[in-house]
Amino acid sequence: FFCLSYTLSPQSNAAAHRLDSLSMESVLEAFRVQQDPQARPEHIRDANLWLERFQSTTEAWTVADGLLSLPAEQVGNGSAHVFAAQTLRAKIQYDWAELPPQSHAALRDSLLAHAVRYSAGPQVVLTQLCLAVATLALHMEAWGQAVPELIGRFTSPPAEALAKLPCLLELLTVMPEEAENFKVAVMPRRRDEFRGLLRGAGPQVVALLGQVQEQCRGSSPLVQACLRCTASWLKAKSVPADCLMASPLVGLAFAALDDQTLFDEGVEMLVELVHFSKEADSHAQLVAGIMPPVLALGRRYDAAVQAGDEEVARALVRLFTETGEQCLHLLLTQQPEWLVSLAACLLRGAAHPDADVAEITFNFWYMLAEELNGGGRSLNDAQRVDARGLFADCFRQLLQALRSLVEFPSESDSWPADQADDFRRFRYAVGDVLTDACKVLSSTACIEEVYGALQQRLPAFGADPAGQWRSIEACVFCARQMITSNEPAFFTAPVVHQLLQLLPTLPAAGDLPNTAIRTVGTYANWLSRHAEMLPQMLTYVTSGLQQQRNAAAASQAMKHLCDACAEHLAEEATMAQLIQMYLGTLSFSLEPADRVDLVAALSFVVSQLPLPQVLPAMEAIARPLLQRLQAALEGGGGPGEVSVLLEQLCALLGKVSPGARPTADEVARVPALQDALHPSVHLLQQLWGVLEAIFERHGGDSRVMEKLCRCYKHTSRNTAQGPFRGDFRSLVPRLLPQVTGWFERQPHSCFLYVANVCLRGYHDAPELLPTFRETFARMSAVVFRLLSAAPTAIPDNPDVVDDFFELCSTVLRLHPALLAESELLLSSFQCGCAALRIQHREANRAVVGFFEMLLVLRQAGARGNLSPAAFNGITTLLVANGAQLAQELLLAIAGLVPPARVR
């Protein structure tokens, strides 16, 4: 039993007393404390806590039942009634096992009596009671005819049926919903059985709802409840289609759209009806019955748009879209003329000025385009050709609507940042639909449409660039989304050449230069086949680097151009020009990400140079970065500046990837190339002293150390494949002792990750095994000291936990003897047990992965790569400490870690 002590305000002290029993009066007293305007906050908090605890007691069954029998004037404002109804529902849902079977029927009858009593309200009490009845019906297998019995009980005697009707409709509404409530713990067999009972009662429910609709037309609340109830049974697929078509319910839903008070419920029911009719084979007649009135709603949509009624327009667009998506297969194969008419309605929705309304239609266009392009299964090749011709004009009109949607409004210059970001997100969603249109019409045809619209607007733009740039920018944005790599005609289309020739000549106004530069980068693959245009495009893109608002677009476009066209740019003279361009940008005010993109762009071209030219080109790119690093180290530069410079060096080391070892002729001309390593490995060796100096200066900054370690990591990955595979191995004997010493001084998790990268990449080199053993032992000692230094050390260092146990898993997989045959095994095991409670997702996953690997190795035994000593070591460990692991796993599953982590 729980007891609540409280003190009321001085005016209420005479009524104050100790709540010392779980009784109805105790609950009411707790509510009086809650509602007393002069009660102190801590007393209200105690009352809330007491009530929460009370709900979990067995006495709550009878007390809640008794509270519902009290008149409203005895329970204040009625909150006690709400509490009691919620308590009974929660008890039935979670604590059903507390009730003996012989009390189930009595509880059901009591709940139904309460439901009748609250049939006129309050609605929240009625809803909770009905949910309690529905949950009880799901639990109570003995109540095999729940729905027919409810209908019989609440419709007799006839004189009382109307008064009970709100309660009956609410009960019938929530019954199918509770069948899918998986918080109710019933066996799958019972849930399936209950669904079958609902389907069996479907005709009786449809008949009842039809009678209600006919007899209660003048009562909006009852008609609303009837529509909601029908929608619930449709959603559960619990009514037969023939009964539904024979009833007046479908007509009621369409008629409700003409009544403002019933409109929302009518739309919801029709949406569920459309979903219900998705099965084309069995519901074709139903679809035929609902399509004409749905198409007739196009006029209602036009009227709503004209009247500025956005909510009605949104609801109708949703209905059109759901109809198109759910009935697409049937309409496309059996009634394509209806689908063309429906697409016309959706076209008007796609042209709605509100982006949220227009976006509702986007998935329909994707689904239709997939069917017409061959991604669907509804049509064969011959039918697909005919259908594309049928819908071609529709998609052309869609292009016009989409072009208007992406145009910046006149007030966009004054938008706050979040509104501008939302509109840009919407524009990219429009871009996906433009891509869908290209699947149907072809990219070339779509570009021709947009280019024609652009040409029409050029005269007005030329006369007033500042006022007319938005329509031009919208056309260019659309053209940017229309590229393809699967259409041969696209690469020879004159319109693409004309478009790209036009872009550099457009006056710089608003966001137009930004979009035009991005468009050039997007067409990089086309330009790779038309190299004669590259000089002009590179000049245009480079000019964008000089303006802050266009720098990001220009750097990304340069990256795309250099990636796609590297083979055309990989000439010594061209490379020299690109490096001069890059050096010129060092004086520009660019964001760090833009500078990284520029270095990556140059790296793509450097990779295509003859091997003797690669390292000099890399050194030319790295030289100004090294100079700035040295200046920062000598002049007291901050960690932010050093991080930015390291990130650019990392891009250079990780992106330059020559395609072949030096040829015999190249070795003859340059003998030093005979045993040449990967150029990135050469450059990293040149950087070694600078990187050591960075650690000495900024070793305590985790962000700088992360960037520093990426230089090693990306160089290793860059040399892991291809003709220079394994060249990084020569650095491992020098690198691992260095990062181990750094880790002993500054235990950043990135050093553990470097060790992991080296072990994964070069575990098959026997000469490195002593280095791996020493590195792992020294790093493990540091981790154990760090994570045992304080009670909160493990949650305070999730990155170290993550990377250490990832390293342990790698060791077990590749060299299990390093751990299984050493004294580190027990310490790692105990540390892992303590870390199983960590809340950090990745760290927790790494710890669980470590134990999983340990158990898999033990299970594999001799079949794995375990030596007898390692097998015995793991076996001994698990025998002695397995109970500790099992206990920690059970505690984690029981709630110490979030439920999403339990698998």
Side-chain angles (χ1 to χ4, degrees):
F1 293 100
F2 295 95
C3 187
L4 172 68
S5 297
Y6 67 96
T7 304
L8 297 178
S9 60
Q11 292 82 352
S12 304
N13 276 338
H17 63 274
R18 180 178 178 82
L19 298 177
D20 55 2
S21 67
L22 289 174
S23 64
M24 190 182 304
E25 183 57 36
S26 300
V27 174
L28 293 175
E29 191 66 29
F31 275 102
R32 283 193 283 271
V33 173
Q34 286 185 330
Q35 296 160 17
D36 185 356
Q38 299 185 38
R40 295 169 61 179
E42 59 268 26
H43 297 153
I44 295 175
R45 184 172 59 251
D46 289 344
N48 291 337
L49 181 61
W50 186 87
L51 288 170
E52 289 175 7
R53 290 174 174 172
F54 164 76
Q55 287 183 304
S56 65
T57 64
T58 55
E59 288 79 2
W61 292 99
T62 54
V63 173
D65 183 66
L67 282 171
L68 288 167
S69 303
L70 295 178
E73 56 270 16
Q74 263 188 260
V75 295
N77 63 3
S79 55
H81 286 159
V82 177
F83 171 79
Q86 290 175 335
T87 298
L88 283 175
R89 184 204 174 186
K91 297 293 287 183
I92 294 171
Q93 181 167 306
Y94 298 113
D95 301 328
W96 179 253
E98 292 180 354
L99 289 180
Q102 59 269 25
S103 66
H104 293 171
L107 175 61
R108 176 196 61 196
D109 295 340
S110 178
L111 286 171
L112 292 175
H114 290 315
V116 171
R117 185 177 303 111
Y118 291 96
S119 186
Q123 182 62 40
V124 63
V125 178
L126 176 61
T127 298
Q128 290 298 316
L129 287 170
C130 291
L131 287 169
V133 173
T135 307
L136 180 143
L138 181 56
H139 275 297
M140 191 174 171
E141 296 189 37
W143 196 13
Q145 296 296 316
V147 173
E149 287 184 24
L150 287 173
I151 293 175
R153 181 182 296 219
F154 281 84
T155 54
S156 61
E160 299 176 7
L162 185 61
K164 298 178 182 178
L165 190 54
C167 179
L168 176 59
L169 291 176
E170 187 70 19
L171 279 167
L172 293 178
T173 299
V174 301
M175 197 73 74
E177 296 171 357
E178 283 301 285
E180 306 306 320
N181 179 6
F182 287 89
K183 292 182 179 179
V184 182
V186 296
M187 297 297 290
R189 174 198 55 80
R190 172 55 188 164
R191 193 177 298 277
D192 290 339
E193 183 182 74
F194 189 69
R195 290 169 179 150
L197 295 174
L198 294 179
R199 286 192 296 271
Q204 188 176 0
V205 172
V206 171
L208 172 70
L209 294 174
Q211 293 175 6
V212 172
Q213 188 270 333
E214 292 287 352
Q215 299 174 15
C216 303
R217 291 178 181 272
S219 174
S220 292
L222 287 177
V223 176
Q224 286 175 329
C226 182
L227 290 167
R228 286 195 297 268
C229 185
T230 307
S232 178
W233 282 73
L234 287 170
K235 185 174 184 178
K237 305 288 192 299
S238 298
V239 295
D242 53 348
C243 293
L244 192 64
M245 287 300 298
S247 78
L249 294 174
V250 176
L252 167 66
F254 281 105
L257 301 186
D258 295 324
D259 187 331
Q260 185 176 358
T261 60
L262 304 176
F263 181 84
D264 291 340
E265 287 78 8
V267 169
E268 289 300 324
M269 179 188 152
L270 289 173
V271 167
E272 293 302 337
L273 179 63
V274 167
H275 280 267
F276 176 81
S277 65
K278 183 178 181 180
E279 288 78 12
D281 295 336
S282 57
H283 296 161
Q285 185 180 358
L286 182 59
V287 173
I290 64 178
M291 280 307 300
V294 167
L295 295 176
L297 291 172
R299 293 188 295 273
R300 176 70 188 279
Y301 171 80
D302 293 338
V305 173
Q306 188 173 3
D309 193 337
E310 185 178 311
E311 293 305 315
V312 169
R314 182 193 306 272
L316 292 176
V317 169
R318 178 184 170 218
L319 177 58
F320 296 149
T321 303
E322 294 283 2
T323 304
E325 292 177 1
Q326 301 303 320
C327 304
L328 181 63
H329 171 76
L330 185 146
L331 296 176
L332 197 56
T333 55
Q334 300 183 24
Q335 296 287 348
E337 65 279 0
W338 276 351
L339 186 57
V340 171
S341 299
L342 184 61
C345 295
L346 284 159
L347 267 176
R348 277 127 69 186
H352 194 281
D354 186 284
D356 292 338
V357 176
E359 194 169 3
I360 294 172
T361 70
F362 288 0
N363 190 58
F364 166 79
W365 301 115
Y366 164 75
M367 293 175 64
L368 179 58
E370 284 293 295
E371 291 289 352
L372 299 179
N373 187 52
R377 300 179 179 179
S378 298
L379 305 174
N380 58 38
D381 291 343
Q383 292 172 325
R384 193 171 294 118
V385 171
D386 294 339
R388 289 177 73 163
L390 188 63
F391 287 95
D393 187 60
C394 177
F395 275 92
R396 290 191 190 94
Q397 295 179 56
L398 178 63
L399 287 179
Q400 298 173 17
L402 297 176
R403 191 181 65 245
S404 299
L405 285 175
V406 301
E407 184 172 327
F408 280 101
S410 57
E411 69 274 11
S412 60
D413 290 340
S414 60
W415 277 350
D418 57 343
Q419 188 174 0
D421 289 342
D422 288 343
F423 187 70
R424 289 190 179 92
R425 180 205 60 78
F426 170 71
R427 279 170 40 116
Y428 284 113
V430 173
D432 292 338
V433 186
L434 289 167
T435 302
D436 296 332
C438 291
K439 295 176 184 177
V440 178
L441 300 174
S442 83
S443 291
T444 303
C446 290
I447 294 171
E448 288 172 347
E449 289 278 342
V450 170
Y451 186 72
L454 190 154
Q455 287 288 346
Q456 293 174 8
R457 288 159 174 76
L458 280 180
F461 174 60
D464 181 18
Q468 300 296 324
W469 66 267
R470 291 175 173 82
S471 62
I472 301 295
E473 190 274 344
C475 293
V476 175
F477 176 85
C478 290
R480 180 186 167 204
Q481 313 303 314
M482 295 175 176
I483 59 167
T484 181
S485 58
N486 302 319
E487 188 180 312
F490 167 77
F491 291 98
T492 59
V495 68
V496 180
H497 189 279
Q498 294 165 7
L499 173 67
L500 292 177
Q501 287 278 22
L502 175 65
L503 294 181
T505 68
L506 296 174
D511 280 353
L512 178 57
N514 190 291
T515 302
I517 290 171
R518 290 184 188 276
T519 302
V520 171
T522 305
Y523 280 75
N525 284 331
W526 189 92
L527 287 166
S528 71
R529 304 193 187 190
H530 299 270
E532 71 279 359
M533 292 188 66
L534 274 175
Q536 179 188 6
M537 294 297 105
L538 284 171
T539 301
Y540 176 54
V541 169
T542 304
S543 67
L545 294 169
Q546 302 178 35
Q547 292 88 36
Q548 182 68 34
R549 66 183 301 176
N550 300 326
S555 60
Q556 291 174 16
M558 184 69 71
K559 182 178 178 181
H560 292 315
L561 287 173
C562 290
D563 187 11
C565 308
E567 60 184 20
H568 301 296
L569 302 173
E571 297 179 0
E572 190 171 2
T574 307
M575 189 72 243
Q577 293 175 0
L578 288 174
I579 290 178
Q580 286 303 313
M581 176 275 297
Y582 160 72
L583 295 175
T585 64
L586 296 176
S587 61
F588 298 165
S589 179
L590 300 180
E591 293 294 326
D594 301 336
R595 296 199 178 277
V596 171
D597 282 341
L598 284 177
V599 173
L602 294 175
S603 299
F604 293 133
V605 181
V606 171
S607 299
Q608 299 298 319
L609 291 172
L611 189 60
Q613 300 175 22
V614 173
L615 184 58
M618 293 180 71
E619 291 171 341
I621 297 169
R623 190 173 298 113
L625 302 177
L626 284 173
Q627 291 171 350
R628 293 189 172 194
L629 267 177
Q630 290 168 341
L633 294 173
E634 295 169 3
E641 180 183 1
V642 174
S643 294
V644 168
L645 293 168
L646 282 174
E647 195 166 4
Q648 294 172 64
L649 285 172
C650 181
L652 182 63
L653 291 166
K655 298 292 184 184
V656 172
S657 183
R661 286 279 186 181
T663 66
D665 290 342
E666 288 173 333
V667 171
R669 291 195 304 270
V670 186
L673 293 177
Q674 176 66 48
D675 299 313
L677 296 171
H678 191 291
S680 292
V681 174
H682 271 299
L683 184 60
L684 184 62
Q685 289 175 322
Q686 296 177 25
L687 296 174
W688 206 274
V690 176
L691 298 180
E692 288 179 330
I694 291 172
F695 174 80
E696 296 300 332
R697 184 62 182 270
H698 297 288
D701 191 289
S702 60
R703 182 178 55 172
V704 175
M705 292 300 99
E706 174 67 26
K707 305 297 184 189
L708 185 149
C709 287
R710 283 186 185 180
C711 292
Y712 302 123
K713 176 179 69 176
H714 286 282
T715 304
S716 174
R717 287 181 175 175
N718 193 16
T719 60
Q721 303 293 334
F724 292 90
R725 184 178 184 274
D727 280 7
F728 190 81
R729 178 187 302 179
S730 62
L731 300 181
V732 173
R734 182 182 181 188
L735 174 61
L736 284 182
Q738 174 181 269
V739 297
T740 303
W742 288 351
F743 187 64
E744 289 171 335
R745 295 168 59 186
Q746 299 286 351
H748 296 297
S749 64
C750 56
F751 299 135
L752 290 165
Y753 189 78
V754 169
N756 202 344
V757 168
C758 292
L759 180 58
R760 289 201 305 263
Y762 307 105
H763 62 91
D764 55 351
E767 71 275 11
L768 294 178
L769 185 58
T771 303
F772 289 140
R773 178 179 288 108
E774 180 185 358
T775 295
F776 182 63
R778 290 170 60 186
M779 285 187 160
S780 297
V782 175
V783 170
F784 298 149
R785 286 197 303 271
L786 175 67
L787 299 184
S788 61
T792 61
I794 289 177
D796 289 345
N797 296 277
D799 292 339
V800 171
V801 173
D802 180 12
D803 284 318
F804 175 69
F805 282 100
E806 287 288 350
L807 177 60
C808 288
S809 296
T810 302
V811 168
L812 287 174
R813 186 174 71 254
L814 302 177
H815 282 300
L818 295 184
L819 182 56
E821 296 181 19
S822 76
E823 66 278 3
L824 299 174
L825 181 60
L826 177 60
S827 299
S828 300
F829 184 93
Q830 292 174 338
C831 183
C833 286
L836 275 171
R837 304 184 182 192
I838 195 168
Q839 300 297 302
H840 188 276
R841 182 179 59 186
E842 299 303 326
N844 184 268
R845 184 178 299 167
V847 176
V848 172
F850 162 71
F851 284 117
E852 187 176 7
M853 178 62 66
L854 194 67
L855 294 170
V856 166
L857 279 176
R858 171 59 181 80
Q859 187 176 12
R863 299 192 308 273
N865 59 345
L866 281 183
S867 66
F871 178 81
N872 292 333
I874 294 177
T875 302
T876 302
L877 173 78
L878 293 175
V879 169
N881 300 279
Q884 179 187 1
L885 174 60
Q887 180 181 0
E888 290 299 331
L889 288 171
L890 288 172
L891 288 173
I893 292 170
L896 288 181
V897 299
R901 310 273 167 74
V902 179
R903 56 173 184 171

